[in-house]
Amino acid sequence: MKKFFIEGCILINEKILDDVYYMLLQAPEIADHAEPGQFVHVKKNNSINFLRRPLGIAEVDKKKGTISLIYRIIGRGTAEYAAMTVGEQLSIVGPIGNGFMIKEGRPLIVGGGMGMAPLVFLAERLQEKKPLVLVGGKNEQEVFWPKYMEKYADKIYVTTDDGSLGFKGFTVQFLPKILEDNAVDDIYTCGPDIMMHSVAKIAKKYGKSCQVSMEKRMACGIGVCLGCTFTDKITGKRRKVCVDGPVFPAEEVFDYE
Ligand code: FES
């Protein structure tokens, strides 16, 4: 798979929430080759933070040669990206990893928190299959994702922990109802491990395929540091999220007891 090392010019870097930003970048080589579920490894030039951070690709516009990233400030690296301004160059490596396998059946996309970012790109790719989307967050403010998804989704369901928008509770509490009310074949999910584990169990119970996109801290992003590994539940072998994933069939990642 082709990977590029480029300097991407920042076209937009705007605050969505207090600590969440939307960044649009000129990155034609990456826009041309990216697949949903893949990520880029980014770094501010001349930064004292020498580690790159993995960020899922949220949108791609091949004609304009742009990609977008939606990220939360979770440390010094991401705080540096938030402080960057239009016209500055971000060092980008990508696209990296194996993305979602696009299946034939009716899709349901389930996302929690910042795990929604790569699912926006997936929804765009799946739009002809009329995907259903289930998005969950702590409160109404945190569930800003429908504005990025609504043009691609057939229907969007929202859950919030505090009940300020949509169903009060977690995505996984509402998921069985969606599966009972709709014809769904394939589930695609990204978010906290605990959520994806429950999604995988429910998918199995209802006989649906399920792919999960794992979010791990990644130091090297090229399979060298072994910082992102987990044990494959089928083969028992160590797998690297950065090069073997980040997307895997759920049964390789989670047990079902
Ligand atoms: Fe280093 Fe995956 S991030 S091996």
Side-chain angles (χ1 to χ4, degrees):
M1 205 169 296
K2 217 163 183 177
K3 184 162 44 174
F4 302 88
F5 292 70
I6 66 162
E7 298 295 316
C9 181
I10 297 175
L11 305 174
I12 297 174
N13 192 22
E14 67 186 13
K15 190 187 271 201
I16 300 176
L17 293 181
D18 274 354
D19 56 352
V20 178
Y21 283 73
Y22 173 92
M23 183 183 277
L24 184 71
L25 292 147
Q26 196 72 51
E29 301 88 342
I30 294 173
D32 250 0
H33 291 82
E35 294 294 331
Q38 289 188 301
F39 62 95
V40 287
H41 223 193
V42 302
K43 180 180 177 303
K44 183 175 190 269
N45 288 317
N46 305 318
S47 167
I48 49 165
N49 296 309
F50 59 90
L51 286 182
R52 291 176 177 274
R53 299 287 189 284
L55 293 174
I57 300 168
E59 293 171 318
V60 162
D61 187 327
K62 285 192 191 202
K63 278 198 196 129
K64 293 184 181 157
T66 59
I67 63 168
S68 77
L69 310 172
I70 300 173
Y71 62 97
R72 169 163 265 145
I73 299 176
I74 50 167
R76 280 181 302 173
T78 39
E80 278 189 334
Y81 312 151
M84 293 179 78
T85 54
V86 169
E88 280 192 82
Q89 310 275 330
L90 186 69
S91 172
I92 313 175
V93 181
I96 298 177
N98 293 304
F100 289 99
M101 183 181 295
I102 303 299
K103 303 258 190 169
E104 282 307 309
R106 178 98 188 275
L108 169 61
I109 295 170
V110 183
M114 297 309 292
M116 285 300 294
L119 300 178
V120 176
F121 185 13
L122 177 68
E124 189 236 312
R125 182 62 59 87
L126 291 171
Q127 61 186 306
E128 284 179 4
K129 299 181 192 297
K130 300 192 175 305
L132 301 173
V133 174
L134 171 59
V135 49
K138 278 191 284 198
N139 52 44
E140 180 175 4
Q141 242 202 340
E142 289 276 327
V143 188
F144 55 82
W145 298 99
K147 75 173 179 185
Y148 297 102
M149 306 286 259
E150 61 197 5
K151 50 186 177 286
Y152 310 126
D154 189 29
K155 185 158 187 188
I156 300 180
Y157 302 89
V158 172
T159 68
T160 49
D161 301 359
D162 66 0
S164 52
L165 190 68
F167 173 82
K168 182 177 183 195
F170 302 131
T171 49
V172 291
Q173 291 173 296
F174 195 65
L175 177 57
K177 175 157 175 52
I178 298 176
L179 296 175
E180 276 154 26
D181 291 352
N182 297 276
V184 167
D185 301 295
D186 307 305
I187 298 177
Y188 305 79
T189 186
C190 184
D193 273 9
I194 189 164
M195 181 204 86
M196 293 198 296
H197 195 171
S198 295
V199 170
K201 285 181 181 172
I202 294 167
K204 182 164 187 196
K205 181 175 165 197
Y206 283 82
K208 316 298 179 190
S209 83
C210 183
Q211 294 175 65
V212 303
S213 180
M214 297 183 72
E215 295 181 307
K216 286 257 186 198
R217 282 198 86 96
M218 293 178 195
C220 73
I222 53 170
V224 174
C225 73
L226 305 182
C228 67
T229 61
F230 70 99
T231 304
D232 188 313
K233 294 291 180 291
I234 293 177
T235 64
K237 292 188 175 151
R238 296 300 287 171
R239 306 289 300 279
K240 296 171 187 167
V241 172
C242 64
V243 292
D244 299 328
V247 179
F248 297 89
E251 54 274 17
E252 294 179 9
V253 177
F254 299 118
D255 57 50
Y256 287 89
E257 280 137 40

